[in-house]
Amino acid sequence: MSRSNPRVLSTLERAGGFASAQEIYRLMQREGESIGLTTVYRALQSLVNDKIVDVLRRDDGEAIYRLCGEAHHHHLVCKGCGDTVEIEGGAIEKWAKMMAEEHGFRDVGHTAEIFGLCTKC
Amino acid sequence: MSRSNPRVLSTLERAGGFASAQEIYRLMQREGESIGLTTVYRALQSLVNDKIVDVLRRDDGEAIYRLCGEAHHHHLVCKGCGDTVEIEGGAIEKWAKMMAEEHGFRDVGHTAEIFGLCTKC
DNA sequence: AATGGTAATGAAAATCATTTTCATTTGTGC
DNA sequence: GCACAAATGAAAATGATTTTCATTACCATT
């Protein structure tokens, strides 16, 4: 029953614990792994069911999968050159927790991104 | 240039200020309005550009559009029923500003959403 | 090893939201 | 009326995801 393909999981890990199904598929192809796109999707679904990864959505609607418990971080993205800095969000974590409690929400996650122009742009 | 079709906007309002493009289209059809799906999408895009509505994502990736007040706010969204609470994000504003300064970014904006399960779900 | 059954696999087709293309219509100023 | 830009929408294209279905790998039991 467990379709949690270990090769998919390990690829997700190698991708920085954060990638879409298509990206994982392309990554495995490029590395010469023989796998079907269908299997990648099924493995990811299974990993989500088993609560080993969780899933969010990009702005364009594409699903991205992330290892659970992975210290998660946020991004500071340059609108000009696309350069991205990983930043810490302790303040956000607290804020999210507070807001969730205040409204009786449980099992909460969050997304937060900052975008602007970097020094070069 | 302004493609903000007033019929689309008014339908979105009547839908409770919260609906997907497809839903708005079906609603207008059912009410006998003659409009094309393409036009609905274009009108919604335009409304987003004009900051009259903003757009989030359902769990299945479908985009949902909602009327939004002028005050900058964030969202607490229920993964179960889609219920949304507008929340304040003073902490976020400060955090974003700090992070931007720290890395020399200017002209910054940000997005932040919290999602979880509400009391009913 | 042979058998049978169940789960895993993946290619190809189907689905569904969204975008693009392009020919047509509408509106507006001259 | 005439030209020209903008708006419209049907149909095709796109892209992620799911479904179908035939094949294969895996295991237990003879």
Side-chain angles (χ1 to χ4, degrees):
Chain A
M1 184 56 77
S2 170
R3 293 171 158 182
S4 306
N5 189 315
R7 289 186 297 152
V8 170
L9 179 54
S10 110
T11 306
L12 178 57
E13 274 165 4
R14 249 175 308 116
F18 201 120
S20 77
Q22 304 279 348
E23 284 164 357
I24 290 171
Y25 175 66
R26 284 194 289 268
L27 233 148
M28 294 179 81
Q29 294 262 299
R30 215 173 305 132
E31 289 173 356
E33 296 243 35
S34 162
I35 197 164
L37 183 55
T38 315
T39 304
V40 173
Y41 273 105
R42 277 195 285 237
L44 287 170
Q45 267 166 198
S46 175
L47 288 164
V48 170
N49 284 346
D50 298 352
K51 314 243 190 220
I52 295 166
V53 312
D54 56 13
V55 52
L56 342 170
R57 293 271 168 187
R58 287 225 183 95
D59 260 9
D60 67 351
E62 192 173 355
I64 49 181
Y65 301 84
R66 172 180 81 181
L67 286 168
C68 281
E70 178 98 348
H72 93 260
H73 51 257
H74 299 274
H75 294 124
L76 180 52
V77 187
C78 177
K79 286 188 280 193
C81 59
D83 220 18
T84 301
V85 185
E86 287 188 4
I87 53 182
E88 236 217 277
I92 305 291
E93 320 299 320
K94 268 183 238 153
W95 171 75
K97 204 187 239 178
M98 246 176 56
M99 288 296 156
E101 265 169 29
E102 193 173 306
H103 291 89
F105 276 56
R106 61 217 141 80
D107 218 357
V108 295
H110 63 269
T111 61
E113 309 256 330
I114 309 179
F115 43 89
L117 288 170
C118 74
T119 35
K120 283 170 290 181
C121 294
Chain B
M1 183 55 78
S2 170
R3 293 172 157 181
S4 306
N5 189 314
R7 289 187 296 153
V8 170
L9 180 53
S10 112
T11 306
L12 179 56
E13 274 165 4
R14 247 176 308 117
F18 198 119
S20 75
Q22 304 279 345
E23 284 163 359
I24 290 172
Y25 175 65
R26 284 194 288 267
L27 234 148
M28 295 180 81
Q29 294 262 299
R30 214 173 305 133
E31 290 173 357
E33 295 243 36
S34 163
I35 196 164
L37 183 55
T38 316
T39 304
V40 173
Y41 273 105
R42 276 194 285 236
L44 287 169
Q45 267 166 197
S46 175
L47 287 164
V48 169
N49 284 346
D50 297 350
K51 317 246 189 215
I52 294 166
V53 313
D54 58 12
V55 51
L56 344 168
R57 292 274 167 186
R58 287 229 183 90
D59 254 14
D60 68 351
E62 193 173 356
I64 48 183
Y65 302 83
R66 66 198 302 276
L67 287 166
C68 118
E70 302 86 55
H72 172 76
H73 57 255
H74 298 275
H75 294 125
L76 180 51
V77 187
C78 177
K79 286 189 282 193
C81 60
D83 219 18
T84 302
V85 185
E86 287 188 4
I87 54 182
E88 239 217 275
I92 304 292
E93 321 298 321
K94 268 182 237 153
W95 171 74
K97 204 186 241 180
M98 245 176 56
M99 286 296 156
E101 265 169 29
E102 194 172 306
H103 292 88
F105 277 55
R106 62 216 140 81
D107 215 358
V108 294
H110 63 268
T111 62
E113 309 258 328
I114 309 179
F115 43 89
L117 289 171
C118 74
T119 35
K120 284 169 293 184
C121 294

